[in-house]
Amino acid sequence: MGVVPKPCGASGGVLMAARNLILSLTAALLCWLSVASADPAQVNRDRLLGAASEPGQWFSRGRDWTGQFYSPLDRINASNVTRLGFAWEYDAGTRRGRVQRGLEATPIVVDGVMYVSLAWSEVVALDARTGTELWRYDPKADGASDRRACCDVVNRGVAVWQSRVYIATIDGYLAALDAKTGREIWRADTFTDRTRSNTITGAPQVAGHVVVIGNGGSEFGVRGYVSAFDVDSGALRWRFYTVPGDPRRGYEHPELRMAAKTWDANSDWLTGGGGSAWDGMAYDPRLNLVYFGTGNSNPYPTWFRSPQRTDNLFLASILAVNPDTGRLKWYYQTTPGEMWDYDATQPLVLADLKIGGRMRQVLMQANKNGFFYVLDRASGKLLSAKNYVYVNWATGVSLATGRPMVTAQSSYKDKPKLIFPGQVGGHNWHPMSYSPQTGLVYIPAIDTPMLFSTAPSYEYRPGEFNMGAAGAFPPVPDEYRQGAPHTEMRAMLLAWDPVGQRAAWQIPQSSYYNGGVLSTAGELVFQGTSSGHLVVYAARTGQVLKDIEVGTGIMAAPSAYELDGQEYVAVLAGFGGGLQKMFPPGAAARTHRNESRLIVFKLDGGATRVTALLEPPAIPEQRYAVSADADTIAGGKTLYMTHCARCHGGFWEDAASGYPDLKRMSAAAHAAFDSIVIDGALRNAGMASFQDVLSRDQAHAIQAYLQTETNRLIDAAQAAHPTH
Ligand code: CA
């Protein structure tokens, strides 16, 4: 019974005042009957369209159908936000192994129950007043998924619809859960080819009678597509490929014939092309169009992928599809000839804006490529595109042609080039927020170049990164800095006027890869930081009004809800995701325990717990007698860099990481090395078997390399402190 909230509470005063006891009892009985029969999670078309009249609810990832991440609540506002404090928290930590994972979802709250997805695609339902767990669903996702995921085993949310909760899992299944119990009602396999490194981290999108889901994997070599399943039965209704396959095999649907005209007939069809739709989706119930963005190319360089015709539809594009038929209504390609990891997957925000004296139904995106796009969402017509961060790959976007004006600096074919924005983008998956009250979009923006270089040659390698290029974070060698305004890793909260196409204000931040944004009718903007703070800004000026340290880095966007006249703000804290393998400067995960938590705040709450400081890493105690010769150890290092460094570090100096540092591996782990690396003893915790790519001898060479590194650490420590 705990699942069903108490809708009768609001009428209690009326009941108490009723003079007629019998009438009162009858009302109570009717109320009790309605509670007993009420199904939780009643989200439907009418409630989504009428969400303005239910300001206390948070129905979907971005609250309502617009994806604005805006709450009409104003009980918490500039006059009282200094009183914001702790309400409750929930241990959202992984229950698989000891590696803490990033959290990226925004809590949905419907009629007093909170639904949120966690790492490893787990889902919890909580009493939104107290945090009491009502159920927790574990899809038991394949631990080998961690090896196929570019960016941690994260999940960006569930969809709640008509008493069901939809979750897409890291290993490619879409499941419908009973919102009351968490019981699985149906489960569909969304992957077409399980030999490829697809994963799902995105939230499903309900659109009419289907639930739509894409996937990721374009860094590894996949062909992008989205799939639509019947909301009731889970039956596949349609599938839309975002890039054509080899034309000699024909086309799955008519749009691909048109798309294929923008590809070289001799393209690298083996790698797959990329274009995976791994995040931003939206649905306009009135236009009956589902929108999604597509990811980067694969391999990145056009000279390896499609040398003659380079636009390559529908890479790096925003598409509108009729969810009843699966047919394309319109597309807009943000980055023709994509070769910089400029996914167009950032969250899509729908709004009505007055542009040029005329109200337009728009779709907005702060694209990874650094341009802020405003499209007419009925027609796909480009209304404006202005850079919101510094860019040097293009000088602008032509409104006449809709195409970017690409610069010579953008091509790294002949020599490495410092390109703005870098691979992380001007803005990544972290939700931006649009406030209809201020007319501003609040963007968790990034201003960082990357040094792009091409591989000398390219050949598809199953199971590995297949980018054919590399992007290096700063520091940048002097010879490549010319003309760059700076060469730092910078981040800022940016308030952007989407009509005037200019910044209203921006706040530089000392931490990097900061959280998604919530704005409220209290004229407030809430954003967590990777440095482990929840910060509240004045929506019109950017003035910091409140700063609460939590100690855990925050990437996810908060949500706001109201119960019994009390407004709450909820946020998932837990760092990881795309930078799980390389904690950036300023990240709390470098200094504090990266404990994954759901934290809820209210006015006049208590003190928020700050996670404990980390101990400095211990010097390994045991020295190893390494019998392997120098060539074997050098070979072990090469194998380590190929297969292990992507997670366990080694590419970057001083790269703190969420994964175990193998140079500090325990003696027990060394004793079990074969069983872990070859036999997959820790596969459920995310450490997959590597027996498909490593022989036992090769594993032993890696181990010998690690043991020499361990010995080197001990030697260095003893040299620094000879008395020990
Ligand atoms: Ca990408």
Side-chain angles (χ1 to χ4, degrees), residues 20 87 178 201 267 277 335 373 401 434 450 472 630 671 674 680:
N20 189 314
D178 181 333
T201 54
S267 290
T335 313
Y373 293 91
T401 64
Y434 170 68
M450 265 187 170
D674 273 21

Side-chain angles (χ1 to χ4, degrees), residues 237-409:
R237 289 296 175 227
W238 50 264
R239 179 163 280 143
F240 190 99
Y241 287 90
T242 61
V243 292
D246 187 339
R248 286 166 295 198
R249 295 186 183 175
Y251 303 107
E252 289 88 347
H253 46 89
E255 294 83 354
L256 294 175
R257 187 176 300 280
M258 178 254 287
K261 297 192 172 96
T262 65
W263 289 72
D264 193 324
N266 295 312
S267 290
D268 171 23
W269 304 114
L270 178 62
T271 299
S276 47
W278 57 267
D279 189 29
M281 281 199 263
Y283 173 62
D284 183 329
R286 290 188 292 231
L287 293 174
N288 193 32
L289 290 174
V290 62
Y291 306 98
F292 56 89
T294 64
N296 58 275
S297 60
N298 191 237
Y300 290 176
T302 50
W303 44 95
F304 294 141
R305 182 177 76 247
S306 177
Q308 293 301 321
R309 294 177 184 173
T310 57
D311 274 7
N312 298 166
L313 291 172
F314 300 100
L315 293 177
S317 301
I318 299 168
L319 294 90
V321 166
N322 180 324
D324 299 335
T325 63
R327 293 282 65 79
L328 183 69
K329 176 72 187 286
W330 57 258
Y331 73 91
Y332 175 76
Q333 189 173 40
T334 51
T335 313
E338 197 291 306
M339 56 174 164
W340 310 274
D341 196 10
Y342 288 161
D343 312 72
T345 50
Q346 296 66 57
L348 304 167
V349 172
L350 312 182
D352 294 341
L353 297 183
K354 195 168 191 178
I355 296 173
R358 179 178 158 200
M359 287 306 289
R360 307 290 298 238
Q361 297 177 299
V362 307
L363 174 153
M364 296 184 280
Q365 185 184 60
N367 195 282
K368 255 177 104 175
N369 71 12
F371 288 94
F372 190 96
Y373 293 91
V374 181
L375 304 177
D376 181 313
R377 69 173 181 271
S379 67
K381 178 180 165 51
L382 176 67
L383 301 178
S384 69
K386 173 82 175 174
N387 64 303
Y388 62 96
V389 291
Y390 177 74
V391 304
N392 72 355
W393 70 276
T395 54
V397 178
S398 162
L399 285 188
T401 64
R403 295 179 67 89
M405 295 166 279
V406 176
T407 62
Q409 178 68 15

